[in-house]
Amino acid sequence: MKHILSMSDLTNEDVYGLIDTAIDFKNGKKSEIGQDKFAMNLFFENSTRTKSSFQVAEMKLGMKEIAFEASTSSTTKGESLYDTVKTVESIGASVAVIRHPQDKYYEELINNNMNIHIINGGDGTGQHPSQSLLDLMTIYEHYGHFDGLKVGIIGDLSHSRVAHSNAEILTRLGAEVSFGGLDSWYTDEFQGIGSHMSVDELCQEMDVVMLLRVQHERLSSEENQNFSKEDYFNTYGMDMRRVEMMKPDAMIMHPAPVNRGVEIADDVVECNKSYIFPQMTNGVYMRMAMIEAVLEGAKIDSETNQERQAVLR
């Protein structure tokens, strides 16, 4: 596992392996695989949870972070992403965690035989593998399986890399995924996966309800102008009335940041069915597992190369 870029690149066995490793880290497992190694977190979009979570994960593994700020980097002078990452590789970083507004930005990098390990911290409206994996870890801790679970994803589906990642992998793991939110966000991709239901129906039937932030930064000016927070919350938002409709052991999840009073009410954020903050806690351990996986892949590759050289000698 040289890179982690998309959930479609991971086998089911990879996913379960990463979950097991993350749970081991949560239970106290130690690893020194990051000792004397450097990481750089290249975030070209704003982030609190993902960036800081990767930073903590890197430190827990003994890595040192090379500071990077997009606004003061050479990309403002016209440097390409490829040249930026090649520079990071050349100065000795082992891992580059990248968030970029371009969908599949990583294809240019891996097609040029980069030696540095790339972990996708989110690409445009494409994929968000670390968020998807920490979500899976949180569900697995609660239920112990995915097969047969009913999962509802509600919100800005078409612009959400979380929705794309989770809908794909949850279906592959045996869950039944349904959707809620504006009809215009329920695109062909999601129509091919599961049905579109009202929020009340989803709350009554689902084992897991995942809420998504309305991504105003990706909406057109006309869409933003016509958007009413109050109307959206009344139709699609999660309030305590809807919480009471849910199964006793059902889960409420959200990748955050939450827009209180838009997709979720204040008193729901930390209610007894909410796993929003446990998701964040699990994010550190899952990202440790991801970093260890790519570095262990490098270790295996190195050992294989040494064996080849020994045979040649």
Side-chain angles (χ1 to χ4, degrees):
M1 198 181 297
K2 184 174 182 179
H3 312 295
I4 299 179
L5 308 172
S6 168
M7 294 306 293
S8 59
D9 295 335
L10 299 175
T11 66
N12 291 3
E13 291 74 19
D14 291 333
V15 170
Y16 281 112
L18 286 165
I19 291 172
D20 288 342
T21 301
I23 291 173
D24 286 344
F25 277 126
K26 190 173 182 178
N27 290 333
K29 172 187 170 180
K30 304 296 182 184
S31 174
E32 297 183 354
I33 196 167
Q35 293 292 330
D36 301 320
K37 293 183 175 67
F38 295 91
M40 186 177 278
N41 303 299
L42 298 92
F43 278 64
F44 296 90
E45 290 183 328
N46 293 337
S47 172
T48 301
R49 273 148 292 278
T50 303
K51 185 176 181 180
S52 58
S53 184
F54 268 112
Q55 289 171 323
V56 173
E58 289 153 5
M59 288 187 284
K60 281 180 172 288
L61 291 172
M63 302 187 80
K64 296 178 181 177
E65 182 196 10
I66 304 171
F68 176 86
E69 291 296 335
S71 61
T72 57
S73 73
S74 291
T75 58
T76 62
K77 302 176 183 179
E79 182 175 75
S80 69
L81 178 63
Y82 171 81
D83 285 335
T84 298
V85 178
K86 196 66 181 174
T87 298
V88 174
E89 176 188 83
S90 300
I91 63 176
S94 299
V95 175
V97 179
I98 305 174
R99 172 172 290 186
H100 198 277
Q102 178 185 328
D103 285 10
K104 298 184 178 180
Y105 69 81
Y106 46 77
E107 288 184 345
E108 175 193 11
L109 305 179
I110 62 172
N111 289 336
N112 281 286
N113 296 317
M114 287 276 185
N115 290 320
I116 194 169
H117 301 286
I118 298 168
I119 297 178
N120 182 14
D123 62 296
T125 59
Q127 288 276 315
H128 198 341
S130 67
Q131 180 67 48
S132 183
L133 286 163
L134 73 87
D135 290 347
L136 294 176
M137 175 187 176
T138 307
I139 295 170
Y140 188 79
E141 281 186 317
H142 186 64
Y143 286 113
H145 66 94
F146 302 101
D147 193 38
L149 288 179
K150 292 185 175 183
V151 180
I153 304 178
I154 304 170
D156 190 355
L157 302 168
S158 59
H159 299 104
S160 173
R161 47 199 170 212
V162 177
H164 295 140
S165 299
N166 278 340
E168 171 194 339
I169 188 60
L170 282 164
T171 302
R172 180 146 51 93
L173 293 171
E176 179 185 329
V177 182
S178 303
F179 303 96
L182 294 177
D183 289 343
S184 59
W185 292 336
Y186 182 54
T187 58
D188 291 346
E189 174 190 354
F190 300 107
Q191 290 171 21
I193 294 173
S195 59
H196 191 270
M197 303 167 64
S198 73
V199 175
D200 284 356
E201 289 174 316
L202 288 166
C203 288
Q204 292 172 55
E205 296 183 22
M206 299 296 112
D207 300 299
V208 181
V209 174
M210 292 184 171
L211 304 170
L212 302 173
R213 179 178 67 89
V214 177
Q215 300 192 34
H216 292 284
E217 69 275 18
R218 302 190 195 278
L219 301 183
S220 68
S221 56
E222 183 180 355
E223 287 174 316
N224 275 316
Q225 188 175 0
N226 294 329
F227 184 85
S228 164
K229 293 181 179 179
E230 293 77 15
D231 289 347
Y232 183 89
F233 179 75
N234 289 334
T235 308
Y236 306 111
M238 179 65 74
D239 57 15
M240 288 305 298
R241 178 183 69 84
R242 286 176 168 148
V243 172
E244 294 302 322
M245 296 179 181
M246 299 175 72
K247 298 176 183 179
D249 64 342
M251 306 174 70
I252 297 170
M253 303 180 72
H254 193 307
V258 298
N259 288 319
R260 294 170 183 255
V262 180
E263 69 267 5
I264 189 167
D266 271 335
D267 52 356
V268 176
V269 174
E270 295 183 71
C271 74
N272 63 340
K273 288 185 172 67
S274 173
Y275 287 77
I276 296 172
F277 288 101
Q279 284 175 264
M280 298 178 199
T281 299
N282 284 345
V284 172
Y285 300 111
M286 177 51 73
R287 288 168 176 129
M288 290 174 71
M290 295 169 72
I291 294 167
E292 185 186 67
V294 296
L295 292 178
E296 283 286 359
K299 179 180 177 183
I300 293 167
D301 289 343
S302 176
E303 290 172 350
T304 303
N305 289 333
Q306 290 174 10
E307 291 169 3
R308 289 197 192 106
Q309 292 297 323
V311 169
L312 290 174
R313 287 196 294 270

